[in-house]
Amino acid sequence: RCIGINDNGLTRYIHPVECFRAQTVPEHLIDKILTCGVSNTQLYKIAGNGWTDEVIAHNIRHSKLGKQHNDCI
């Protein structure tokens, strides 16, 4: 499972579709992935084993490195 988050004071796990959205996968591709007959375990692995350029840029922008070199991102 992906990371747990706080939802109305309760801890819950993120569903596979939320993992794909966090990786900025387009909705039409998420629909195709979810309907291909793969187990949730494999979906979590697929969503978690890659970093998109948008996610990397977001992480750098909000890090100390990004604040020092803001003009490069």
Side-chain angles (χ1 to χ4, degrees):
R1 289 185 174 174
C2 287
I3 59 172
I5 62 170
N6 190 335
D7 186 26
N8 295 327
L10 302 173
T11 300
R12 71 174 182 87
Y13 288 98
I14 296 174
H15 298 283
V17 69
E18 295 170 303
C19 289
F20 285 109
R21 286 178 182 153
Q23 288 286 22
T24 66
V25 176
E27 287 293 320
H28 70 281
L29 294 179
I30 294 173
D31 294 337
K32 288 183 180 182
I33 293 167
L34 295 177
T35 59
C36 69
V38 177
S39 70
N40 278 353
T41 301
Q42 292 302 315
L43 290 172
Y44 284 118
K45 289 179 182 179
I46 292 167
N49 285 338
W51 290 85
T52 63
D53 55 349
E54 292 178 42
V55 172
I56 293 169
H58 173 83
N59 289 338
I60 292 173
R61 271 190 222 104
H62 293 88
S63 70
K64 289 181 181 178
L65 178 65
K67 290 175 183 170
Q68 294 169 354
H69 301 284
N70 199 24
D71 57 330
C72 298
I73 306 171

Coordinates of all heavy atoms in Angstrom, one line a residue:
R1 N 0.8 -1.2 0.0 CA 0.0 0.0 0.0 C 0.9 1.2 0.0 O 2.0 1.2 0.5 CB -0.9 0.0 1.2 CG -2.0 -1.0 1.2 CD -2.8 -0.8 2.4 NE -3.9 -1.7 2.3 CZ -4.8 -1.9 3.3 NH1 -4.7 -1.2 4.4 NH2 -5.8 -2.7 3.1
C2 N 0.3 2.3 -0.5 CA 1.0 3.6 -0.5 C 0.9 4.2 0.9 O 0.2 3.7 1.8 CB 0.4 4.5 -1.6 SG 0.9 4.1 -3.2
I3 N 1.4 5.3 1.1 CA 1.5 6.0 2.4 C 0.1 6.3 3.0 O -0.9 6.4 2.3 CB 2.2 7.4 2.2 CG1 1.5 8.3 1.2 CG2 3.7 7.1 1.8 CD1 2.0 9.7 1.1
G4 N 0.1 6.2 4.3 CA -1.1 6.6 5.0 C -1.3 8.1 5.1 O -0.3 8.8 5.2
I5 N -2.5 8.6 5.1 CA -2.8 10.0 5.2 C -3.8 10.2 6.3 O -4.6 9.3 6.6 CB -3.2 10.7 3.9 CG1 -4.5 10.1 3.4 CG2 -2.1 10.6 2.9 CD1 -5.0 10.8 2.2
N6 N -4.0 11.4 6.7 CA -4.9 11.8 7.7 C -6.2 12.2 7.0 O -6.2 13.2 6.2 CB -4.4 12.8 8.7 CG -5.3 13.1 9.8 OD1 -6.5 12.8 9.8 ND2 -4.7 13.6 10.9
D7 N -7.3 11.6 7.3 CA -8.6 11.9 6.6 C -9.6 12.1 7.7 O -10.1 11.1 8.3 CB -9.0 10.9 5.6 CG -10.2 11.2 4.8 OD1 -10.4 12.4 4.6 OD2 -10.8 10.3 4.3
N8 N -10.0 13.3 8.1 CA -11.0 13.6 9.1 C -10.5 13.0 10.5 O -11.3 12.4 11.2 CB -12.3 13.0 8.7 CG -12.9 13.8 7.5 OD1 -12.7 15.0 7.4 ND2 -13.6 13.1 6.7
G9 N -9.3 13.1 10.8 CA -8.7 12.5 12.0 C -8.4 11.1 12.0 O -8.0 10.5 13.0
L10 N -8.7 10.4 10.9 CA -8.5 8.9 10.9 C -7.3 8.7 9.9 O -7.2 9.4 8.9 CB -9.7 8.2 10.4 CG -10.9 8.3 11.3 CD1 -12.2 7.7 10.6 CD2 -10.7 7.7 12.7
T11 N -6.6 7.6 10.1 CA -5.5 7.3 9.2 C -6.1 6.3 8.2 O -6.8 5.3 8.5 CB -4.3 6.6 9.9 OG1 -3.8 7.6 10.8 CG2 -3.2 6.3 9.0
R12 N -5.8 6.5 6.9 CA -6.2 5.6 5.9 C -5.1 5.5 4.8 O -4.2 6.3 4.8 CB -7.5 6.0 5.2 CG -7.4 7.2 4.3 CD -8.7 7.5 3.6 NE -8.6 8.6 2.7 CZ -8.2 8.6 1.4 NH1 -7.9 7.4 0.9 NH2 -8.2 9.6 0.7
Y13 N -5.2 4.5 4.0 CA -4.3 4.3 3.0 C -4.8 4.8 1.7 O -6.0 4.8 1.4 CB -3.9 2.8 2.8 CG -3.1 2.3 3.9 CD1 -3.6 1.6 5.0 CD2 -1.7 2.5 4.0 CE1 -2.9 1.2 6.1 CE2 -0.9 2.1 5.0 CZ -1.5 1.4 6.1 OH -0.8 1.0 7.1
I14 N -3.9 5.3 0.8 CA -4.2 5.8 -0.5 C -4.6 4.7 -1.4 O -3.9 3.7 -1.5 CB -3.1 6.7 -1.0 CG1 -2.8 7.9 -0.1 CG2 -3.4 7.1 -2.5 CD1 -1.6 8.7 -0.5
H15 N -5.7 4.8 -2.2 CA -6.1 3.8 -3.2 C -5.2 3.9 -4.4 O -4.5 5.0 -4.7 CB -7.5 4.1 -3.6 CG -8.5 3.9 -2.4 ND1 -8.8 2.7 -1.9 CD2 -9.1 4.8 -1.7 CE1 -9.7 2.8 -0.9 NE2 -9.8 4.1 -0.7
P16 N -5.1 2.9 -5.2 CA -4.2 2.9 -6.4 C -4.5 4.2 -7.3 O -3.6 4.8 -7.8 CB -4.6 1.6 -7.1 CG -5.0 0.7 -6.1 CD -5.7 1.5 -5.1
V17 N -5.8 4.5 -7.5 CA -6.1 5.7 -8.4 C -5.5 6.9 -7.8 O -5.0 7.8 -8.5 CB -7.6 5.8 -8.6 CG1 -8.3 6.2 -7.3 CG2 -7.9 6.8 -9.7
E18 N -5.5 7.1 -6.5 CA -4.9 8.3 -5.8 C -3.3 8.3 -6.0 O -2.7 9.3 -6.2 CB -5.2 8.3 -4.4 CG -6.7 8.5 -4.2 CD -7.1 8.4 -2.7 OE1 -6.9 7.3 -2.1 OE2 -7.7 9.3 -2.2
C19 N -2.7 7.1 -6.0 CA -1.3 7.0 -6.2 C -0.9 7.5 -7.6 O 0.0 8.2 -7.8 CB -0.8 5.6 -6.0 SG -0.8 5.0 -4.3
F20 N -1.7 7.0 -8.6 CA -1.5 7.5 -10.0 C -1.7 9.0 -10.1 O -0.9 9.6 -10.8 CB -2.4 6.7 -11.0 CG -1.9 5.3 -11.2 CD1 -2.6 4.2 -10.7 CD2 -0.7 5.0 -11.9 CE1 -2.2 2.9 -10.9 CE2 -0.3 3.8 -12.1 CZ -1.0 2.7 -11.6
R21 N -2.7 9.5 -9.5 CA -3.0 11.0 -9.6 C -1.8 11.7 -8.9 O -1.4 12.8 -9.4 CB -4.3 11.3 -8.9 CG -5.5 10.9 -9.7 CD -6.8 11.2 -9.0 NE -7.9 10.8 -9.8 CZ -9.1 10.5 -9.3 NH1 -9.3 10.5 -8.0 NH2 -10.1 10.1 -10.0
A22 N -1.3 11.2 -7.8 CA -0.1 11.9 -7.2 C 1.1 11.9 -8.1 O 1.9 12.8 -8.0 CB 0.2 11.2 -5.9
Q23 N 1.2 10.9 -9.0 CA 2.3 10.9 -10.0 C 1.9 11.6 -11.2 O 2.7 11.6 -12.2 CB 2.6 9.4 -10.3 CG 3.3 8.7 -9.2 CD 4.7 9.1 -9.0 OE1 5.1 10.2 -9.4 NE2 5.5 8.2 -8.4
T24 N 0.8 12.4 -11.2 CA 0.4 13.2 -12.4 C 0.1 12.4 -13.6 O 0.3 12.9 -14.7 CB 1.4 14.4 -12.6 OG1 2.6 13.9 -13.1 CG2 1.6 15.2 -11.4
V25 N -0.4 11.2 -13.5 CA -0.8 10.4 -14.6 C -2.1 10.9 -15.1 O -3.0 11.1 -14.3 CB -0.9 8.9 -14.3 CG1 -1.4 8.1 -15.4 CG2 0.5 8.4 -13.8
P26 N -2.3 11.2 -16.4 CA -3.6 11.7 -16.9 C -4.7 10.7 -16.7 O -4.5 9.5 -16.7 CB -3.3 11.8 -18.5 CG -1.8 11.9 -18.6 CD -1.3 11.1 -17.5
E27 N -5.9 11.3 -16.4 CA -7.1 10.5 -16.0 C -7.4 9.4 -17.1 O -7.8 8.3 -16.7 CB -8.3 11.4 -15.8 CG -8.2 12.2 -14.6 CD -8.3 11.4 -13.3 OE1 -9.1 10.4 -13.2 OE2 -7.6 11.7 -12.4
H28 N -7.3 9.7 -18.4 CA -7.6 8.7 -19.4 C -6.7 7.5 -19.3 O -7.1 6.4 -19.6 CB -7.7 9.3 -20.8 CG -6.4 9.7 -21.3 ND1 -5.7 10.9 -21.0 CD2 -5.6 9.1 -22.2 CE1 -4.6 10.9 -21.6 NE2 -4.5 9.9 -22.4
L29 N -5.5 7.7 -18.9 CA -4.5 6.6 -18.8 C -4.8 5.8 -17.5 O -4.7 4.6 -17.5 CB -3.1 7.1 -18.8 CG -2.6 7.7 -20.1 CD1 -1.2 8.2 -20.0 CD2 -2.8 6.7 -21.3
I30 N -5.2 6.5 -16.4 CA -5.5 5.8 -15.2 C -6.7 4.9 -15.4 O -6.7 3.7 -15.0 CB -5.9 6.9 -14.1 CG1 -4.6 7.7 -13.7 CG2 -6.4 6.1 -12.9 CD1 -4.9 8.8 -12.7
D31 N -7.7 5.3 -16.2 CA -8.8 4.5 -16.5 C -8.4 3.2 -17.2 O -8.9 2.1 -16.9 CB -9.9 5.2 -17.3 CG -10.5 6.4 -16.5 OD1 -10.5 6.3 -15.3 OD2 -11.0 7.3 -17.2
K32 N -7.5 3.3 -18.2 CA -7.0 2.2 -18.9 C -6.3 1.2 -18.0 O -6.4 0.0 -18.1 CB -6.1 2.6 -20.1 CG -6.9 3.2 -21.2 CD -6.0 3.6 -22.3 CE -6.8 4.2 -23.5 NZ -5.9 4.5 -24.7
I33 N -5.4 1.8 -17.1 CA -4.6 1.0 -16.2 C -5.5 0.2 -15.3 O -5.2 -1.0 -15.0 CB -3.6 1.9 -15.5 CG1 -2.6 2.5 -16.4 CG2 -2.9 1.1 -14.4 CD1 -1.7 3.6 -15.8
L34 N -6.5 0.9 -14.7 CA -7.3 0.2 -13.7 C -8.2 -0.9 -14.3 O -8.7 -1.7 -13.6 CB -8.2 1.3 -13.0 CG -7.4 2.3 -12.2 CD1 -8.4 3.3 -11.6 CD2 -6.6 1.6 -11.1
T35 N -8.5 -0.8 -15.6 CA -9.4 -1.8 -16.2 C -8.6 -2.9 -16.9 O -9.2 -3.7 -17.6 CB -10.3 -1.1 -17.2 OG1 -9.6 -0.5 -18.2 CG2 -11.3 -0.2 -16.5
C36 N -7.3 -3.0 -16.7 CA -6.6 -4.0 -17.5 C -6.5 -5.4 -16.7 O -5.8 -6.3 -17.2 CB -5.2 -3.5 -17.8 SG -4.1 -3.3 -16.5
G37 N -7.1 -5.5 -15.5 CA -7.1 -6.7 -14.8 C -5.9 -7.0 -13.9 O -5.7 -8.2 -13.6
V38 N -5.2 -6.0 -13.6 CA -4.0 -6.2 -12.7 C -4.5 -6.0 -11.3 O -5.3 -5.2 -11.0 CB -2.9 -5.1 -13.1 CG1 -1.8 -5.2 -12.2 CG2 -2.5 -5.3 -14.5
S39 N -3.8 -6.8 -10.4 CA -4.2 -6.7 -8.9 C -3.8 -5.4 -8.3 O -2.9 -4.7 -8.9 CB -3.5 -7.8 -8.2 OG -2.1 -7.6 -8.1
N40 N -4.4 -5.0 -7.2 CA -4.1 -3.8 -6.5 C -2.6 -3.8 -6.1 O -2.0 -2.7 -6.2 CB -5.0 -3.6 -5.3 CG -6.3 -3.0 -5.7 OD1 -6.6 -2.6 -6.8 ND2 -7.2 -2.9 -4.7
T41 N -2.1 -4.9 -5.7 CA -0.7 -5.0 -5.3 C 0.2 -4.5 -6.4 O 1.1 -3.8 -6.2 CB -0.3 -6.4 -4.8 OG1 -1.2 -6.8 -3.7 CG2 1.1 -6.5 -4.4
Q42 N -0.1 -5.0 -7.6 CA 0.7 -4.7 -8.8 C 0.5 -3.2 -9.2 O 1.4 -2.5 -9.6 CB 0.4 -5.6 -10.0 CG 0.9 -7.0 -9.7 CD 2.3 -7.1 -9.5 OE1 3.2 -6.5 -10.2 NE2 2.7 -7.9 -8.5
L43 N -0.7 -2.7 -9.0 CA -1.0 -1.3 -9.3 C -0.2 -0.4 -8.4 O 0.3 0.6 -8.9 CB -2.5 -1.0 -9.2 CG -3.4 -1.7 -10.2 CD1 -4.9 -1.4 -9.9 CD2 -3.1 -1.1 -11.6
Y44 N -0.1 -0.7 -7.1 CA 0.7 0.1 -6.2 C 2.1 0.1 -6.6 O 2.8 1.1 -6.6 CB 0.6 -0.5 -4.8 CG -0.7 -0.1 -4.1 CD1 -1.6 -1.1 -3.7 CD2 -1.1 1.2 -3.8 CE1 -2.8 -0.8 -3.0 CE2 -2.3 1.5 -3.2 CZ -3.1 0.5 -2.8 OH -4.3 0.8 -2.1
K45 N 2.6 -1.1 -7.1 CA 4.0 -1.2 -7.5 C 4.2 -0.3 -8.8 O 5.2 0.4 -8.9 CB 4.4 -2.6 -7.8 CG 4.6 -3.4 -6.5 CD 4.9 -4.8 -6.8 CE 5.0 -5.7 -5.5 NZ 5.3 -7.1 -5.8
I46 N 3.3 -0.4 -9.7 CA 3.4 0.4 -11.0 C 3.4 1.9 -10.7 O 4.2 2.6 -11.2 CB 2.2 0.0 -11.9 CG1 2.4 -1.4 -12.4 CG2 2.2 1.0 -13.1 CD1 1.1 -1.9 -13.1
A47 N 2.5 2.3 -9.8 CA 2.4 3.7 -9.5 C 3.6 4.2 -8.7 O 4.0 5.4 -8.8 CB 1.1 4.0 -8.7
G48 N 4.2 3.4 -7.8 CA 5.2 3.8 -6.9 C 6.6 3.6 -7.4 O 7.6 4.1 -6.8
N49 N 6.8 2.9 -8.6 CA 8.2 2.6 -9.0 C 8.6 3.6 -10.1 O 9.5 3.3 -10.9 CB 8.2 1.2 -9.6 CG 8.3 0.2 -8.5 OD1 8.6 0.5 -7.4 ND2 7.9 -1.0 -8.8
G50 N 8.1 4.8 -10.1 CA 8.6 5.8 -11.1 C 8.3 7.2 -10.5 O 7.4 7.4 -9.7
W51 N 9.1 8.1 -11.1 CA 8.9 9.5 -10.7 C 8.7 10.3 -12.0 O 9.6 10.3 -12.9 CB 10.1 10.1 -9.9 CG 10.2 9.5 -8.6 CD1 10.8 8.3 -8.2 CD2 9.7 10.1 -7.4 NE1 10.7 8.1 -6.9 CE2 10.0 9.2 -6.3 CE3 9.0 11.2 -7.1 CZ2 9.7 9.4 -5.0 CZ3 8.7 11.5 -5.8 CH2 9.0 10.6 -4.8
T52 N 7.6 11.0 -12.1 CA 7.4 11.8 -13.3 C 8.2 13.1 -13.2 O 8.5 13.6 -12.1 CB 5.9 12.2 -13.5 OG1 5.5 12.9 -12.4 CG2 5.1 10.9 -13.7
D53 N 8.4 13.8 -14.3 CA 9.2 15.1 -14.2 C 8.4 16.1 -13.4 O 9.1 16.9 -12.8 CB 9.6 15.6 -15.6 CG 8.3 15.7 -16.5 OD1 7.3 15.2 -16.2 OD2 8.5 16.3 -17.6
E54 N 7.1 16.1 -13.5 CA 6.3 17.1 -12.7 C 6.5 16.9 -11.2 O 6.6 17.8 -10.5 CB 4.9 17.0 -13.1 CG 4.6 17.5 -14.5 CD 3.1 17.3 -14.8 OE1 2.3 17.6 -14.0 OE2 2.8 16.9 -16.0
V55 N 6.5 15.6 -10.8 CA 6.7 15.3 -9.4 C 8.1 15.7 -8.9 O 8.3 16.3 -7.8 CB 6.4 13.8 -9.1 CG1 6.8 13.5 -7.6 CG2 5.0 13.5 -9.3
I56 N 9.1 15.4 -9.7 CA 10.5 15.8 -9.4 C 10.6 17.3 -9.3 O 11.2 17.8 -8.3 CB 11.5 15.2 -10.4 CG1 11.5 13.7 -10.3 CG2 12.9 15.8 -10.2 CD1 12.2 13.0 -11.5
A57 N 10.1 18.0 -10.2 CA 10.2 19.5 -10.2 C 9.5 20.1 -9.0 O 10.0 21.0 -8.4 CB 9.6 20.1 -11.5
H58 N 8.3 19.5 -8.7 CA 7.6 20.0 -7.5 C 8.4 19.8 -6.2 O 8.5 20.7 -5.4 CB 6.2 19.2 -7.3 CG 5.5 19.5 -6.1 ND1 4.7 20.6 -5.9 CD2 5.5 18.9 -4.9 CE1 4.2 20.6 -4.7 NE2 4.7 19.6 -4.1
N59 N 9.0 18.6 -6.1 CA 9.8 18.3 -4.9 C 11.0 19.2 -4.8 O 11.4 19.7 -3.7 CB 10.3 16.9 -4.9 CG 9.1 15.9 -4.6 OD1 8.1 16.3 -4.0 ND2 9.3 14.7 -5.0
I60 N 11.7 19.5 -5.9 CA 12.8 20.4 -5.9 C 12.4 21.8 -5.6 O 13.1 22.5 -4.8 CB 13.6 20.3 -7.3 CG1 14.2 19.0 -7.4 CG2 14.6 21.5 -7.4 CD1 14.8 18.7 -8.8
R61 N 11.3 22.3 -6.2 CA 10.8 23.6 -5.9 C 10.6 23.9 -4.4 O 10.8 25.0 -3.9 CB 9.5 23.9 -6.6 CG 9.7 24.5 -8.0 CD 8.4 24.9 -8.6 NE 8.3 24.5 -10.0 CZ 7.6 23.5 -10.5 NH1 6.8 22.8 -9.7 NH2 7.7 23.3 -11.7
H62 N 10.1 22.8 -3.7 CA 9.8 23.0 -2.3 C 10.9 22.5 -1.3 O 10.7 22.4 -0.2 CB 8.5 22.2 -2.0 CG 7.3 22.9 -2.7 ND1 6.9 22.6 -4.0 CD2 6.5 23.9 -2.3 CE1 5.9 23.3 -4.3 NE2 5.6 24.1 -3.3
S63 N 12.1 22.3 -1.9 CA 13.2 21.9 -1.1 C 14.1 23.1 -0.9 O 14.0 24.1 -1.5 CB 14.0 20.7 -1.7 OG 14.6 21.2 -2.9
K64 N 15.1 22.9 0.0 CA 16.1 23.9 0.2 C 16.9 24.2 -1.1 O 17.2 25.3 -1.4 CB 17.1 23.5 1.3 CG 16.5 23.5 2.6 CD 17.6 23.1 3.7 CE 17.0 23.1 5.0 NZ 17.9 22.7 6.0
L65 N 17.2 23.2 -1.9 CA 17.9 23.3 -3.1 C 17.1 24.2 -4.1 O 17.6 25.1 -4.7 CB 18.2 22.0 -3.8 CG 18.9 22.0 -5.1 CD1 20.3 22.5 -5.0 CD2 18.9 20.6 -5.7
G66 N 15.8 24.0 -4.2 CA 14.9 24.7 -5.1 C 14.8 26.2 -4.7 O 14.8 27.1 -5.5
K67 N 14.9 26.5 -3.4 CA 14.8 27.9 -2.9 C 16.1 28.6 -3.2 O 16.1 29.8 -3.4 CB 14.5 27.9 -1.4 CG 13.0 27.4 -1.1 CD 12.7 27.3 0.3 CE 11.3 26.8 0.5 NZ 11.0 26.4 1.9
Q68 N 17.2 27.9 -3.2 CA 18.5 28.5 -3.5 C 18.6 28.8 -5.0 O 19.3 29.7 -5.4 CB 19.6 27.6 -3.1 CG 19.7 27.5 -1.6 CD 20.7 26.4 -1.1 OE1 21.2 25.7 -2.0 NE2 20.9 26.3 0.2
H69 N 18.0 27.9 -5.9 CA 18.2 28.0 -7.3 C 16.9 28.1 -8.0 O 16.6 27.4 -9.0 CB 19.0 26.7 -7.8 CG 20.3 26.5 -7.2 ND1 21.4 27.3 -7.5 CD2 20.7 25.7 -6.2 CE1 22.4 26.9 -6.8 NE2 22.0 26.0 -6.0
N70 N 16.0 28.9 -7.5 CA 14.6 29.1 -8.0 C 14.6 29.5 -9.5 O 13.7 29.1 -10.2 CB 13.9 30.1 -7.2 CG 12.4 30.0 -7.4 OD1 11.9 28.9 -7.7 ND2 11.7 31.0 -7.1
D71 N 15.6 30.2 -10.0 CA 15.6 30.6 -11.4 C 15.9 29.5 -12.4 O 15.7 29.6 -13.5 CB 16.6 31.7 -11.6 CG 18.0 31.4 -11.2 OD1 18.2 30.5 -10.3 OD2 19.0 31.9 -11.8
C72 N 16.4 28.3 -11.9 CA 16.7 27.2 -12.7 C 15.5 26.2 -13.0 O 15.6 25.4 -13.8 CB 17.9 26.4 -12.1 SG 19.4 27.3 -11.9
I73 N 14.5 26.4 -12.2 CA 13.4 25.4 -12.3 C 12.2 26.0 -13.0 O 11.8 27.1 -12.7 CB 13.0 24.9 -10.8 CG1 14.2 24.4 -10.1 CG2 12.0 23.8 -10.9 CD1 13.9 24.2 -8.7

